[in-house]
Amino acid sequence: MQTESVTTPFGRRPMTLALVKRQLATADIKPGKTAEKWKVFRDASEARALLGIQDRALAVLDALLTFYPESELSQEKAMIVFPSNSQLSVRAHGITGTTLRRHLAALVEAGLISRKDSANGKRYARKDKQGGIEDAYGFDLAPLLARAEELALMAQDVADRRAHFRRVKETLSICRRDVRKLISAAIEEGAPGDWESVEMVYIALVSRIPRTPTVADLETILDEMQLLQSEVVNLLDLHEESEKMDTNDIRFERHKQNSNTESINELEPSSGKEQGAKPSEIGGQQREPLKAFPLGLVLKACPEVANYGPGGAVGSWRDLMAAAVVVRSMLGVSPSAYQDACEVMGPENAAVAVACMLERAGHINSAGGYLRDLTKRAARGEFSLGPMLMALLKVNDREERRVS
């Protein structure tokens, strides 16, 4: 039943433009529209967080719906219920008067019901000679009908978010378990590598999981945990490849996490291009390209590079690569050395390498030689950016804890 005019609240309750808007929307319900009242109630219950109402308010709404005799809300029928507070309290499981009034106001504020107040503020119905309701004053359930589709979409959105949260949480749990067991296996079986540092990074990641996390919290930690998992697998895979190559009497230089910057120039033979080999095929073996890392993780590990982006910020990979060109020049890296790094590592990873070098600029004597050394080792498949990023993350986390 359409509302013919806008009504104002009784007593000291103020009239607002939001109430006017809701009443006009209720009056504009499509003729013949119906909705199953308990389905609408279930949708409102699912969407309660988006509506900003509490469980007790839903109990009051449930009680109001029990006073509506039809199973369907219909535009062609009156949808005003007029129970007394004592009747409502009984059906709302004994809720007190003060709490009842508060949650009724919350339902009105959320736009789920509206008030149609009589001249004296009492709730009642005036009947005609045949006993039918001619006019009624109380709570109008028409907003539920008007917003039926909207509430259904809100409920679906909440369900989708809940499912996404559950998937992210399950994925993080599995990834966390895998990393923990891989590290334990590597330590127990004596695989070469700085597993103590890797384990400390793992423990730091786990300690950052809040007691009541949001999906954004879990997604951030999941990205870093998956990166750590990739690096653990990469270290174990390099160990396995090294063992295979040793059995074939193929000698490889020992992989070092921290290069000796004092002797960089001695580690700078020809790149292999003279023989026509691609950088990823040096040594006769096809190498997979370096793994790409989340931009957010890179900026967290290397915050200084953002100062050299366009406008003093880095918001995309394009910005990071532009900043890397500026930093490359500032560090004294030649264009040819940076070009070689881009060809071997890929432009994004070369930019990440330069960002890492900027963080450790005070510890590097020859930035150009250092980058060429990283490029050579990346071409042989003996270098990964992951450990560099993890080490910087660890240092930055320690600094943040010290400052706080």
Side-chain angles (χ1 to χ4, degrees):
M1 181 176 183
Q2 291 185 356
T3 303
E4 299 299 327
S5 61
V6 173
T7 62
T8 59
F10 171 77
R12 290 179 295 178
R13 290 194 298 269
M15 186 63 181
T16 65
L17 295 181
L19 288 175
V20 175
K21 182 178 179 181
R22 290 169 192 157
Q23 290 189 37
L24 292 175
T26 299
D28 199 30
I29 297 176
K30 183 179 178 181
K33 181 178 180 179
T34 62
E36 204 280 305
K37 67 177 182 180
W38 295 119
K39 181 183 183 304
V40 178
F41 175 75
R42 287 192 297 271
D43 289 340
S45 299
E46 284 289 322
R48 64 183 178 277
L50 299 180
L51 293 168
I53 56 177
Q54 301 175 1
D55 294 345
R56 300 297 293 276
L58 290 173
V60 174
L61 180 60
D62 176 83
L64 284 172
L65 287 171
T66 64
F67 288 98
Y68 182 75
E70 307 296 333
S71 61
E72 285 191 337
L73 300 171
S74 174
Q75 182 270 343
E76 297 178 348
K77 297 180 180 179
M79 288 177 279
I80 296 176
V81 294
F82 40 90
S84 66
N85 281 356
S86 60
Q87 290 174 315
L88 262 180
S89 177
V90 169
R91 296 200 187 182
H93 311 294
I95 193 170
T96 64
T98 302
T99 305
L100 177 65
R101 288 189 289 274
R102 186 172 70 252
H103 289 302
L104 284 170
L107 291 172
V108 173
E109 181 66 24
L112 296 179
I113 62 173
S114 61
R115 298 178 187 269
K116 184 181 179 183
D117 290 340
S118 64
N120 60 5
K122 300 294 183 180
R123 302 172 205 147
Y124 63 89
R126 182 182 297 114
K127 298 184 179 181
D128 56 23
K129 293 181 179 180
Q130 288 73 35
I133 295 178
E134 187 176 64
D135 203 359
Y137 298 95
F139 297 106
D140 194 352
L141 303 177
L144 287 173
L145 178 60
R147 300 181 65 186
E149 295 85 0
E150 178 190 357
L151 292 173
L153 291 174
M154 292 172 71
Q156 184 60 50
D157 182 51
V158 170
D160 291 343
R161 292 185 188 184
R162 186 183 300 118
H164 178 61
F165 179 86
R166 185 172 59 251
R167 287 193 297 269
V168 173
K169 187 175 181 181
E170 290 174 352
T171 303
L172 177 58
S173 296
I174 294 172
C175 185
R176 175 180 170 181
R177 179 194 67 198
D178 292 344
V179 173
R180 174 67 273 174
K181 291 193 173 184
L182 286 170
I183 294 174
S184 298
I187 294 174
E188 290 172 4
E189 298 182 23
D194 188 2
W195 296 109
E196 182 179 352
S197 296
V198 174
E199 186 171 37
M200 289 180 65
V201 172
Y202 168 80
I203 293 172
L205 276 178
V206 172
S207 67
R208 286 169 46 201
I209 301 176
R211 179 168 296 181
T212 54
T214 65
V215 68
D217 293 330
L218 295 182
E219 285 176 335
T220 299
I221 295 173
L222 177 59
D223 283 343
E224 297 181 32
M225 189 67 74
Q226 288 176 332
L227 172 61
L228 181 60
Q229 181 185 32
S230 298
E231 289 310 311
V232 170
V233 172
N234 185 46
L235 287 172
L236 294 174
D237 185 54
L238 286 174
H239 171 55
E240 183 179 352
E241 285 188 12
S242 178
E243 288 183 340
K244 290 179 180 179
M245 292 176 182
D246 286 342
T247 59
N248 294 323
D249 294 326
I250 300 177
R251 299 183 59 191
F252 283 84
E253 293 180 2
R254 186 164 68 97
H255 172 63
K256 298 179 181 178
Q257 175 58 38
N258 296 315
S259 298
N260 183 352
T261 56
E262 296 294 337
S263 58
I264 287 296
N265 292 328
E266 299 175 4
L267 301 174
E268 200 171 343
S270 62
S271 65
K273 295 180 185 177
E274 296 85 345
Q275 289 77 22
K278 295 180 180 178
S280 59
E281 296 177 342
I282 297 174
Q285 286 202 333
Q286 183 72 34
R287 293 289 177 182
E288 293 295 327
L290 293 181
K291 176 180 175 63
F293 299 94
L295 180 60
L297 176 65
V298 173
L299 295 177
K300 186 174 181 181
C302 310
E304 291 295 324
V305 74
N307 297 323
Y308 300 91
V314 170
S316 65
W317 281 106
R318 183 181 296 275
D319 292 346
L320 180 63
M321 289 186 283
V325 172
V326 177
V327 173
R328 183 273 303 167
S329 177
M330 184 184 72
L331 294 178
V333 176
S334 67
S336 62
Y338 186 63
Q339 180 61 34
D340 288 345
C342 290
E343 291 176 0
V344 173
M345 303 180 188
E348 293 87 356
N349 285 323
V352 174
V354 170
C356 291
M357 290 169 57
L358 176 62
E359 294 293 322
R360 292 184 49 81
H363 303 279
I364 300 174
N365 291 338
S366 172
Y370 186 86
L371 182 60
R372 286 192 183 277
D373 180 53
L374 297 183
T375 302
K376 287 194 312 171
R377 291 197 286 122
R380 294 196 303 265
E382 297 177 356
F383 169 71
S384 173
L385 286 165
M388 293 179 68
L389 289 170
M390 285 301 171
L392 290 172
L393 278 171
K394 180 180 173 183
V395 171
N396 291 341
D397 285 342
R398 189 185 303 120
E399 286 294 322
E400 288 177 3
R401 287 196 296 270
R402 185 180 64 80
V403 172
S404 60

